Amino acid sequence: MTDKLKNQHSRREFLRDASLAATGFFIVPRHVLGRGFIAPSDRLAIAAVGAGGKGGDDLKNFFGSGKVDIVALCDVDDRQAANSVKKYTKAKYYKDFREMLEKEHKSIDAVSVSTPDNTHAIAALTAMSLGKHVYVQKPLTHDIYEARMLTEAAKRYKVVTQMGNQGSSSDGVRQMQEWYNAGIIGDAVSIHVWTNRPVWPQGFGRPKSTDASPTELNWDLWLGPATFEQYHKEYVPFNWRGFWAFGTGALGDMGCHLIDPAFKTVGLGYPSEVECSVVDVYEQMWTPAYYPESCPPASSVKMKFPGKNGKPDVDLHWMDGNLRPDRPAELGPDEMMGGDDGGGAIITGTKGKIMCGTYGSKATLLPTSRTKEVNVPQTLARVPEGHYVQWVNACIAGYGKNKVSSPFEYAGPLTETILMGNLALRSWNIKEGKEFTGRKKLLWDAQNMKITNFDPANQFVKREYREGWKLPV
């Protein structure tokens, strides 16, 4: 073909494409736009890792946006996935998310991860390495190292990320930020957070027997990177949360919901130290049980955050098992502490206090009469579409175009904070002979992810994966 003919051919293609674009029929293939980008006019094609329980609820919220196609489902338990398989009839169904991503990555834009905590990181990072946007249920990861890797990966792969702590998109959290930014309570000096969790059996050790694994469940895939142990019906589908091998206990379950409002409002980073106390379970008179594999039935954790830019240090106090801090003097005797019986948070500043319930609900100043008396300008945009659709819209717009409430750059440090509390709780049970040597204040070097004054605690920073499983960093 001569240069003249080539030019004429190119011009005809240009005019044809321009004409098609004008009529709305010009479709840009996703792979042409590059990793992490999709055509702005396109719908979002989602694959789910975890299709039952909370995973099914996540899918319902994505699909309800009217902008999403559910193209692939993955679940290790056919019983849990049954409703989603029935609802999303065009979606291909898999047991192993690695196989799903290998076979379907060209047809999907984003991945939702809603599995037990022990497989969050490996599923999410595998998807991110393929250039897929990800939505991951809380807590973001099972251990601190994984959280740091996902935080760094979000920037490296340039994908839209969101953790499933939906209260982070609430009006209450934004109201708290506006009060704080306006100086209404001065500088934060302490934060108290509490929950009624665990609401499942916890702190009683592993089951003493084993069960036959149901035929619908692939137990080996359910374990994922966790050390192998025999199936027991106590673990599935919910009580896995109370065992360190799979879950992250009450703090992991609710910390991302309850600590988030204060963490975001005050602008906390990484803690510098942590200490805890744990409720004992007694097998018989004078004989406390020793179950280091189980999360405790109730505990309290204290972390210190160094002050920034001349501000004072901030102490964060966590309590679970329905333990609560003292009622603030500014709160009337008949007024609700927090927003509900499930938990709450109180930020104490140099000039006042802010209180809220779970997910940042019922945000109020203390005394509560101040809430109506104090008016500050609205400086932060609200999220009327909600946490799920916010992420969907951001994915469709493309990386860097729309803000989300809990991107991994934020959710990663928040999760690390929560898992630092768990590191202290697990260190509580470290024994050398008859002595519990981990029951001390632990000093944390955040940059190097290392406890500097008690090396045995560092085993909880990064766990060893079972053979056949690898984090794609």
Side-chain angles (χ1 to χ4, degrees), residues 222-239:
W222 187 94
L223 286 171
T227 302
F228 182 83
E229 61 179 87
Q230 295 295 327
Y231 168 83
H232 195 282
K233 62 185 179 182
E234 277 294 309
Y235 295 137
V236 180
F238 195 83
N239 289 351

mmCIF file of all heavy atoms in Angstrom, residues 222-239:
data_model
loop_
_atom_site.group_PDB
_atom_site.id
_atom_site.type_symbol
_atom_site.label_atom_id
_atom_site.label_comp_id
_atom_site.label_asym_id
_atom_site.label_seq_id
_atom_site.Cartn_x
_atom_site.Cartn_y
_atom_site.Cartn_z
ATOM 1 N N TRP A 222 -10.830 -23.792 51.830
ATOM 2 C CA TRP A 222 -11.318 -22.913 52.894
ATOM 3 C C TRP A 222 -10.157 -22.497 53.797
ATOM 4 O O TRP A 222 -10.056 -21.328 54.189
ATOM 5 C CB TRP A 222 -12.389 -23.614 53.717
ATOM 6 C CG TRP A 222 -13.064 -22.738 54.734
ATOM 7 C CD1 TRP A 222 -14.221 -22.036 54.581
ATOM 8 C CD2 TRP A 222 -12.608 -22.447 56.077
ATOM 9 N NE1 TRP A 222 -14.517 -21.334 55.726
ATOM 10 C CE2 TRP A 222 -13.553 -21.561 56.655
ATOM 11 C CE3 TRP A 222 -11.512 -22.845 56.829
ATOM 12 C CZ2 TRP A 222 -13.416 -21.085 57.957
ATOM 13 C CZ3 TRP A 222 -11.371 -22.362 58.134
ATOM 14 C CH2 TRP A 222 -12.325 -21.503 58.684
ATOM 15 N N LEU A 223 -9.264 -23.433 54.111
ATOM 16 C CA LEU A 223 -8.108 -23.122 54.952
ATOM 17 C C LEU A 223 -7.178 -22.117 54.283
ATOM 18 O O LEU A 223 -6.566 -21.285 54.952
ATOM 19 C CB LEU A 223 -7.321 -24.406 55.257
ATOM 20 C CG LEU A 223 -7.946 -25.372 56.251
ATOM 21 C CD1 LEU A 223 -7.160 -26.676 56.255
ATOM 22 C CD2 LEU A 223 -7.984 -24.771 57.644
ATOM 23 N N GLY A 224 -7.079 -22.180 52.955
ATOM 24 C CA GLY A 224 -6.209 -21.263 52.242
ATOM 25 C C GLY A 224 -4.781 -21.356 52.754
ATOM 26 O O GLY A 224 -4.233 -22.455 52.912
ATOM 27 N N PRO A 225 -4.138 -20.208 53.070
ATOM 28 C CA PRO A 225 -2.744 -20.231 53.516
ATOM 29 C C PRO A 225 -2.550 -20.638 54.974
ATOM 30 O O PRO A 225 -1.422 -20.761 55.437
ATOM 31 C CB PRO A 225 -2.295 -18.787 53.298
ATOM 32 C CG PRO A 225 -3.548 -17.981 53.424
ATOM 33 C CD PRO A 225 -4.641 -18.829 52.870
ATOM 34 N N ALA A 226 -3.653 -20.869 55.710
ATOM 35 C CA ALA A 226 -3.542 -21.229 57.127
ATOM 36 C C ALA A 226 -2.961 -22.630 57.286
ATOM 37 O O ALA A 226 -3.130 -23.500 56.424
ATOM 38 C CB ALA A 226 -4.911 -21.157 57.797
ATOM 39 N N THR A 227 -2.285 -22.867 58.407
ATOM 40 C CA THR A 227 -1.742 -24.192 58.717
ATOM 41 C C THR A 227 -2.872 -25.209 58.733
ATOM 42 O O THR A 227 -3.956 -24.952 59.262
ATOM 43 C CB THR A 227 -1.040 -24.173 60.088
ATOM 44 O OG1 THR A 227 -0.006 -23.191 60.057
ATOM 45 C CG2 THR A 227 -0.450 -25.527 60.420
ATOM 46 N N PHE A 228 -2.604 -26.383 58.167
ATOM 47 C CA PHE A 228 -3.666 -27.388 58.054
ATOM 48 C C PHE A 228 -4.106 -27.896 59.423
ATOM 49 O O PHE A 228 -3.291 -28.149 60.305
ATOM 50 C CB PHE A 228 -3.212 -28.583 57.216
ATOM 51 C CG PHE A 228 -4.305 -29.601 57.043
ATOM 52 C CD1 PHE A 228 -5.270 -29.436 56.057
ATOM 53 C CD2 PHE A 228 -4.404 -30.690 57.901
ATOM 54 C CE1 PHE A 228 -6.306 -30.357 55.919
ATOM 55 C CE2 PHE A 228 -5.432 -31.608 57.766
ATOM 56 C CZ PHE A 228 -6.382 -31.445 56.765
ATOM 57 N N GLU A 229 -5.401 -28.018 59.589
ATOM 58 C CA GLU A 229 -5.976 -28.753 60.700
ATOM 59 C C GLU A 229 -7.298 -29.354 60.260
ATOM 60 O O GLU A 229 -7.881 -28.953 59.247
ATOM 61 C CB GLU A 229 -6.141 -27.883 61.939
ATOM 62 C CG GLU A 229 -7.047 -26.691 61.804
ATOM 63 C CD GLU A 229 -7.120 -25.936 63.127
ATOM 64 O OE1 GLU A 229 -6.269 -25.068 63.368
ATOM 65 O OE2 GLU A 229 -8.045 -26.227 63.912
ATOM 66 N N GLN A 230 -7.765 -30.336 61.003
ATOM 67 C CA GLN A 230 -8.952 -31.077 60.603
ATOM 68 C C GLN A 230 -10.219 -30.221 60.709
ATOM 69 O O GLN A 230 -10.315 -29.336 61.560
ATOM 70 C CB GLN A 230 -9.113 -32.335 61.467
ATOM 71 C CG GLN A 230 -8.000 -33.357 61.280
ATOM 72 C CD GLN A 230 -7.975 -33.936 59.885
ATOM 73 O OE1 GLN A 230 -9.012 -34.094 59.231
ATOM 74 N NE2 GLN A 230 -6.779 -34.267 59.391
ATOM 75 N N TYR A 231 -11.154 -30.516 59.843
ATOM 76 C CA TYR A 231 -12.443 -29.804 59.835
ATOM 77 C C TYR A 231 -13.229 -30.079 61.112
ATOM 78 O O TYR A 231 -13.194 -31.175 61.666
ATOM 79 C CB TYR A 231 -13.259 -30.250 58.619
ATOM 80 C CG TYR A 231 -14.708 -29.798 58.663
ATOM 81 C CD1 TYR A 231 -15.065 -28.514 58.250
ATOM 82 C CD2 TYR A 231 -15.708 -30.645 59.153
ATOM 83 C CE1 TYR A 231 -16.389 -28.091 58.315
ATOM 84 C CE2 TYR A 231 -17.033 -30.232 59.206
ATOM 85 C CZ TYR A 231 -17.368 -28.950 58.790
ATOM 86 O OH TYR A 231 -18.669 -28.532 58.855
ATOM 87 N N HIS A 232 -13.926 -29.051 61.567
ATOM 88 C CA HIS A 232 -14.914 -29.203 62.628
ATOM 89 C C HIS A 232 -16.052 -28.237 62.344
ATOM 90 O O HIS A 232 -15.834 -27.100 61.923
ATOM 91 C CB HIS A 232 -14.319 -28.930 64.004
ATOM 92 C CG HIS A 232 -15.186 -29.415 65.134
ATOM 93 N ND1 HIS A 232 -16.314 -28.736 65.564
ATOM 94 C CD2 HIS A 232 -15.106 -30.527 65.910
ATOM 95 C CE1 HIS A 232 -16.896 -29.401 66.551
ATOM 96 N NE2 HIS A 232 -16.175 -30.488 66.783
ATOM 97 N N LYS A 233 -17.255 -28.677 62.593
ATOM 98 C CA LYS A 233 -18.433 -27.858 62.297
ATOM 99 C C LYS A 233 -18.470 -26.572 63.115
ATOM 100 O O LYS A 233 -19.189 -25.632 62.754
ATOM 101 C CB LYS A 233 -19.710 -28.660 62.527
ATOM 102 C CG LYS A 233 -19.901 -29.128 63.961
ATOM 103 C CD LYS A 233 -21.134 -30.018 64.096
ATOM 104 C CE LYS A 233 -21.304 -30.511 65.526
ATOM 105 N NZ LYS A 233 -22.482 -31.413 65.651
ATOM 106 N N GLU A 234 -17.682 -26.500 64.205
ATOM 107 C CA GLU A 234 -17.630 -25.279 65.003
ATOM 108 C C GLU A 234 -17.056 -24.105 64.214
ATOM 109 O O GLU A 234 -17.375 -22.947 64.482
ATOM 110 C CB GLU A 234 -16.772 -25.502 66.251
ATOM 111 C CG GLU A 234 -17.483 -26.159 67.417
ATOM 112 C CD GLU A 234 -18.568 -25.268 67.996
ATOM 113 O OE1 GLU A 234 -18.296 -24.097 68.292
ATOM 114 O OE2 GLU A 234 -19.700 -25.752 68.131
ATOM 115 N N TYR A 235 -16.198 -24.378 63.246
ATOM 116 C CA TYR A 235 -15.514 -23.318 62.519
ATOM 117 C C TYR A 235 -16.399 -22.634 61.469
ATOM 118 O O TYR A 235 -16.301 -21.432 61.249
ATOM 119 C CB TYR A 235 -14.276 -23.871 61.811
ATOM 120 C CG TYR A 235 -13.198 -24.382 62.728
ATOM 121 C CD1 TYR A 235 -12.533 -25.579 62.454
ATOM 122 C CD2 TYR A 235 -12.815 -23.673 63.862
ATOM 123 C CE1 TYR A 235 -11.525 -26.049 63.280
ATOM 124 C CE2 TYR A 235 -11.814 -24.141 64.694
ATOM 125 C CZ TYR A 235 -11.169 -25.339 64.401
ATOM 126 O OH TYR A 235 -10.169 -25.793 65.214
ATOM 127 N N VAL A 236 -17.222 -23.415 60.799
ATOM 128 C CA VAL A 236 -17.958 -22.936 59.626
ATOM 129 C C VAL A 236 -19.447 -22.898 59.939
ATOM 130 O O VAL A 236 -19.977 -23.844 60.536
ATOM 131 C CB VAL A 236 -17.686 -23.870 58.423
ATOM 132 C CG1 VAL A 236 -18.442 -23.410 57.177
ATOM 133 C CG2 VAL A 236 -16.187 -23.935 58.130
ATOM 134 N N PRO A 237 -20.163 -21.839 59.535
ATOM 135 C CA PRO A 237 -19.721 -20.748 58.672
ATOM 136 C C PRO A 237 -19.290 -19.463 59.397
ATOM 137 O O PRO A 237 -18.895 -18.518 58.746
ATOM 138 C CB PRO A 237 -20.982 -20.451 57.857
ATOM 139 C CG PRO A 237 -22.098 -20.691 58.814
ATOM 140 C CD PRO A 237 -21.649 -21.847 59.679
ATOM 141 N N PHE A 238 -19.322 -19.429 60.757
ATOM 142 C CA PHE A 238 -19.115 -18.132 61.414
ATOM 143 C C PHE A 238 -18.085 -18.139 62.540
ATOM 144 O O PHE A 238 -17.336 -17.178 62.693
ATOM 145 C CB PHE A 238 -20.450 -17.602 61.964
ATOM 146 C CG PHE A 238 -20.416 -16.140 62.341
ATOM 147 C CD1 PHE A 238 -20.598 -15.161 61.382
ATOM 148 C CD2 PHE A 238 -20.193 -15.750 63.659
ATOM 149 C CE1 PHE A 238 -20.559 -13.807 61.718
ATOM 150 C CE2 PHE A 238 -20.154 -14.407 64.002
ATOM 151 C CZ PHE A 238 -20.338 -13.435 63.031
ATOM 152 N N ASN A 239 -18.026 -19.190 63.344
ATOM 153 C CA ASN A 239 -17.234 -19.123 64.574
ATOM 154 C C ASN A 239 -15.727 -19.178 64.348
ATOM 155 O O ASN A 239 -14.958 -19.120 65.315
ATOM 156 C CB ASN A 239 -17.663 -20.245 65.531
ATOM 157 C CG ASN A 239 -19.033 -19.991 66.114
ATOM 158 O OD1 ASN A 239 -19.599 -18.912 65.955
ATOM 159 N ND2 ASN A 239 -19.589 -20.977 66.782
#
